[in-house]
Amino acid sequence: GAGVSQSPRYKVAKRGQDVALRCDPISGHVSLFWYQQALGQGPEFLTYFQNEAQLDKSGLPSDRFFAERPEGSVSTLKIQRTQQEDSAVYLCASSFRSSPNEQFFGPGTRLTVL
Amino acid sequence: AQSVTQPDIHITVSEGASLELRCNYSYGATPYLFWYVQSPGQGLQLLLKYFSGDTLVQGIKGFEAEFKRSQSSFNLRKPSVHWSDAAEYFCAVGPIRGSTLGRLYFGRGTQLTVWP
């Protein structure tokens, strides 16, 4: 595929469950980003990887959120002990190193916490 | 602090009419500027971007945007709207250097409805 893919597209979790969201970036893109988009809002930055290095995680809202990209390609965003306020669309984006601001977005994972 | 303001939450236009979506930003220096479009259930698609140079930039789908430094604005325009343009539009800014390079700041979006 030519674009960023994310899975699952939809996830329903009971409060307190752990969830894992996957992102496959565009082949050759070294930078990878996660954003959280609450209903009716614009995306908000969570974290940023360059290859396997997590360069910025200042947007992660709590220590229940954890992201990894162990081989510099696929990334996983993990949320532990989910809360209702975690309900949102989680967007992944990737970009070439040379233009980190020009990001290409995946379709997102809609997380609903009951 | 960085911020992006899209003052219009919802705009309705008739098909064939012209369109202008407003975007103002607050930033320490001239940032990179972007417009993205999001259709229901879809990710964000880049419409156009401004990095430097000509302040009038052309994008996909017939859209254009004009960067006005004095007004800290980057308004999106289209001379004739098509029904397929109905979607949500997001303005975003990103730093050109520094520790937050790569991080985009988005406005809350403008929902566009197109009447036939």
Side-chain angles (χ1 to χ4, degrees), chain A residues 9 33 37 58 101-103 106, chain B residues 32 36 38 41 43 95 102-103:
Chain A
R9 291 293 310 277
F33 308 83
Q37 186 177 18
S58 61
N101 281 277
E102 187 169 354
Q103 297 173 22
Chain B
Y32 291 144
Y36 283 88
Q38 186 177 39
R103 180 174 185 162

Side-chain angles (χ1 to χ4, degrees), chain A residues 41-110:
Chain A
Q41 302 296 318
E44 291 196 3
F45 173 84
L46 293 177
T47 187
Y48 160 43
F49 289 86
Q50 187 166 297
N51 295 307
E52 68 277 6
Q54 191 173 19
L55 299 186
D56 186 351
K57 57 181 181 179
S58 61
L60 296 175
S62 78
D63 59 8
R64 296 186 295 103
F65 287 71
F66 172 76
E68 61 183 6
R69 194 185 185 199
E71 297 179 359
S73 178
V74 171
S75 177
T76 303
L77 176 66
K78 298 179 179 178
I79 309 173
Q80 297 177 325
R81 304 181 304 280
T82 53
Q83 304 294 315
Q84 282 190 318
E85 61 263 28
D86 300 335
S87 296
V89 175
Y90 290 85
L91 296 168
C92 176
S94 68
S95 72
F96 287 111
R97 183 202 302 268
S98 61
S99 55
N101 281 277
E102 187 169 354
Q103 297 173 22
F104 297 84
F105 283 80
T109 295
R110 180 177 295 279

Side-chain angles (χ1 to χ4, degrees), chain A residues 11-16 82-84 86-87 111-114:
Chain A
K11 177 68 177 179
V12 178
K14 293 182 178 179
R15 191 173 59 168
T82 53
Q83 304 294 315
Q84 282 190 318
D86 300 335
S87 296
L111 173 64
T112 302
V113 182
L114 304 177

Side-chain angles (χ1 to χ4, degrees), chain B residues 43-103:
Chain B
L44 298 166
Q45 181 182 21
L46 181 66
L47 284 176
L48 47 77
K49 61 185 184 289
Y50 173 79
F51 285 176
S52 65
D54 193 346
T55 56
L56 184 64
V57 294
Q58 303 297 320
I60 63 171
K61 304 184 179 184
F63 286 92
E64 66 178 27
E66 185 173 13
F67 168 56
K68 293 185 177 180
R69 185 190 307 272
S70 62
Q71 299 177 18
S72 296
S73 69
F74 189 56
N75 294 348
L76 182 71
R77 300 194 294 251
K78 187 170 185 177
S80 178
V81 171
H82 188 263
W83 64 266
S84 60
D85 294 325
E88 187 140 29
Y89 291 80
F90 292 93
C91 180
V93 304
I96 62 174
R97 63 178 65 85
S99 62
T100 61
L101 187 65
R103 180 174 185 162

